[in-house]
Amino acid sequence: MSDELCIQASDFDSLKAHLLGAAEERCAILFASQSKRSDGQIRFLVREVDYPTEAEYSRQGELEAELKPALVARVSKHAKINGLSLIFVHTHPGDRPPIFSPVDDRGELVLSDFLKSRLGSGENASLVMSNGGVRARILGQHDELRVVVVGRRRAVVFEPGLDGPSTSDMFDRQVRAFGAAGQQRLADTRVAIVGLGGTGSIAAQQLVHLGVRRFILIDPDIIEVTNLNRVVGATAQDVGAPKVAVAARYIRSFSPDAEIATWQGDVVHDVTARTMIDADLILLCTDSHGSRSVVQQVAYQHLIPCIDMGSTITQSDSQITGIFGRVQLLSPGLPCLWCSALLDAEQVRRDMMNESERRLDPYIPGSREPAPSVVSLNGTVVSLAVSMLLGVVAGAPFDATHLIYNGQASSLRSVRGEARSTCFICSRDGALAWGSNRQLLTRRD
Ligand SMILES: [Zn+2]
Ligand SMILES: [Zn+2]
């Protein structure tokens, strides 16, 4: 599994706008954290983009550009102070997918020796871009990096071992049809489903039928008699079995070769939360405020798009007063659940308590009434979420990022929110793109 370079869509658009189309070759410096997966794979997550000034180039021609030592000293100091890796970006002329040149090879060796002396042994990278695409590798080596752009879509713009993507793939993702390429993306994308209850169990079924083949299934619970009306795939014989095992059995019955990792645990715990870092996309199918706050932090901090979904039936005097469903994409550039006023800080605080803290806390109410849940409403919400996933992964033209379903009115509404520029989760001042460089706000008991 090759390592990965992950760039937020707004940064990728900025790079294209600043660097391409100029007569002379240009450069940029990216500062990246690292996200470390359980199999040792490293993902470089771009946090900041720096454009050298004219005065910081020592040479700048049509076919080459060279940066002054003072610039290299400046950016390596910034990287060292913040514990970040450096990624050197330069352009090549023309419309063909770029290839590193012998000049690039020699320059990188010098640069990489210098950085080793300045920054120690941490890996750095380089990226070359033209009008025809991009290519990236570990600095001074031939190990190429997958390049993934994450925002409203998750687009793989360079895959090592394959020819670079065509211009239309890279620059016209919006219009790319959900065809053979989209199908391959579905098979390649590792999807974590957090919560295998009323919504997650349906999501697992839809995904395997669509051709998703790599799963991480996370849920602490076992099947209970009261779940049987809505956990699809579960039978009376499954009472007492882990929900993740029931979902895995369904996936295998349809796709015996599927790659399935199951984890029976609650994502509010650090060891469970970290299993999500192995995913390329997360479906958030739990309803506790604590679990949703942890999952969305993983999504923004590790640049893994996440689709949150839920349904609510409100009642008064045993009369139904409202039937609602919600589906929301949580990804760089889009507001998080805090910015959308969809998390309650007090409930998050309680969900994050360990058992002894819980006993001492005077504000814990009695166990909550089980929320009403109906399989048909869950099915509606999951179908909307899975269609949104097709947009994110396969480029299908599902453009909404936040949907509200009103069952009584039979209406579906696309809503748009604003991310707060100083949010502690989804902004650059917050957890965004810090990867494994920072801890998660989780329970460690
Ligand atoms: Zn070059
Ligand atoms: Zn936010």
Side-chain angles (χ1 to χ4, degrees):
M1 186 60 65
S2 50
D3 290 342
E4 191 168 294
L5 170 57
C6 194
I7 308 177
Q8 298 170 51
S10 58
D11 287 340
F12 193 61
D13 291 343
S14 159
L15 284 171
K16 285 190 290 185
H18 276 84
L19 302 185
L20 296 177
E24 69 284 6
E25 184 176 312
R26 290 197 179 172
C27 303
I29 313 292
L30 312 179
F31 297 93
S33 70
Q34 293 191 5
S35 173
K36 293 174 181 152
R37 285 181 161 164
S38 61
D39 63 357
Q41 189 196 14
I42 299 284
R43 296 169 66 232
F44 293 94
L45 310 180
V46 175
R47 271 194 55 75
E48 301 169 44
V49 183
D50 187 298
Y51 297 103
T53 62
E54 296 294 323
E56 287 177 311
Y57 287 92
S58 52
R59 267 187 306 166
Q60 196 176 19
E62 190 186 334
L63 291 173
E64 58 173 347
E66 200 176 275
L67 296 164
K68 286 182 179 167
L71 175 277
V72 179
R74 172 173 74 78
V75 297
S76 53
K77 185 175 173 191
H78 182 73
K80 184 166 191 171
I81 289 170
N82 293 285
L84 298 169
S85 297
L86 287 168
I87 295 156
F88 292 86
V89 184
H90 74 283
T91 53
H92 280 183
D95 294 330
R96 277 188 297 183
I99 295 171
F100 287 104
S101 69
V103 174
D104 294 335
D105 293 347
R106 286 194 294 277
E108 281 187 26
L109 283 177
V110 175
L111 196 52
S112 122
D113 282 347
F114 172 80
L115 292 175
K116 285 237 154 62
S117 69
R118 280 276 170 136
L119 300 176
S121 58
E123 301 286 15
N124 300 289
S126 72
L127 181 141
V128 58
M129 69 197 304
S130 73
N131 286 317
V134 301
R135 184 180 291 265
R137 65 182 182 185
I138 298 286
L139 192 73
Q141 297 180 22
H142 292 284
D143 303 332
E144 291 188 324
L145 302 168
R146 176 181 306 108
V147 183
V148 180
V149 177
V150 176
R152 298 170 66 130
R153 307 270 188 235
R154 178 185 181 276
V156 179
V157 295
F158 176 69
E159 182 71 54
L162 299 179
D163 288 336
S166 72
T167 307
S168 62
D169 265 6
M170 185 175 163
F171 295 106
D172 300 302
R173 300 193 299 277
Q174 302 294 119
V175 298
R176 194 175 60 202
F178 169 43
Q183 196 64 50
Q184 189 58 46
R185 291 280 146 75
L186 284 172
D188 291 343
T189 303
R190 193 188 281 161
V191 179
I193 305 177
V194 182
L196 275 303
T199 50
S201 62
I202 303 175
Q205 294 199 341
Q206 291 199 4
L207 291 183
V208 73
H209 285 283
L210 278 167
V212 173
R213 290 294 174 264
R214 307 177 73 205
F215 292 88
I216 301 169
L217 307 176
I218 305 169
D219 195 307
D221 294 331
I222 56 170
I223 301 283
E224 295 176 41
V225 174
T226 53
N227 305 147
L228 290 175
N229 69 330
R230 61 183 184 278
V231 176
V232 301
T235 67
Q237 283 81 50
D238 292 321
V239 171
K243 286 180 178 172
V244 290
V246 171
R249 182 185 65 202
Y250 183 90
I251 293 167
R252 283 227 172 76
S253 72
F254 189 82
S255 174
D257 299 333
E259 172 200 307
I260 309 171
T262 58
W263 187 277
Q264 196 179 351
D266 189 327
V267 287
V268 298
H269 290 108
D270 202 67
V271 64
T272 303
R274 280 189 277 114
T275 62
M276 289 184 282
I277 294 169
D278 287 351
D280 299 311
L281 184 138
I282 302 168
L283 288 185
L284 177 41
C285 305
T286 67
D287 51 11
S288 91
H289 288 244
S291 63
R292 289 162 73 231
S293 96
V294 170
V295 174
Q296 75 155 0
Q297 183 180 3
V298 171
Y300 286 100
Q301 188 164 324
H302 290 268
L303 301 186
I304 302 170
C306 172
I307 298 173
D308 178 42
M309 70 193 84
S311 62
T312 316
I313 298 174
T314 55
Q315 288 175 310
S316 169
D317 299 331
S318 1
Q319 294 276 69
I320 291 179
T321 53
I323 303 168
F324 295 101
R326 226 193 88 257
V327 177
Q328 182 174 1
L329 175 61
L330 306 169
S331 196
L334 296 170
C336 74
L337 295 172
W338 289 116
C339 289
S340 310
L342 287 165
L343 284 178
D344 179 316
E346 180 56 22
Q347 289 200 44
V348 171
R349 187 182 73 83
R350 289 177 195 155
D351 289 342
M352 302 310 286
M353 286 180 176
N354 62 35
E355 291 309 320
S356 58
E357 289 168 335
R358 213 171 274 262
R359 278 194 293 276
L360 293 171
D361 190 277
Y363 301 107
I364 303 266
S367 63
R368 273 173 253 162
E369 280 287 298
S373 179
V374 174
V375 69
S376 63
L377 177 57
N378 291 342
T380 300
V381 167
V382 171
S383 293
L384 293 170
V386 170
S387 295
M388 197 178 276
L389 176 147
L390 291 176
V392 174
V393 172
F398 294 102
D399 291 333
T401 55
H402 192 172
L403 289 169
I404 307 283
Y405 170 68
N406 181 333
Q408 265 182 314
S410 283
S411 71
L412 186 63
R413 200 154 59 85
S414 169
V415 293
R416 222 170 259 274
E418 284 291 316
R420 278 182 289 118
S421 62
T422 56
C423 176
F424 77 109
I425 293 294
C426 70
S427 81
R428 285 179 203 255
D429 290 351
L432 185 66
W434 269 114
S436 306
N437 295 36
R438 289 207 177 162
Q439 295 202 324
L440 298 167
L441 302 169
T442 47
R443 275 174 61 173
R444 283 154 207 278
D445 56 313

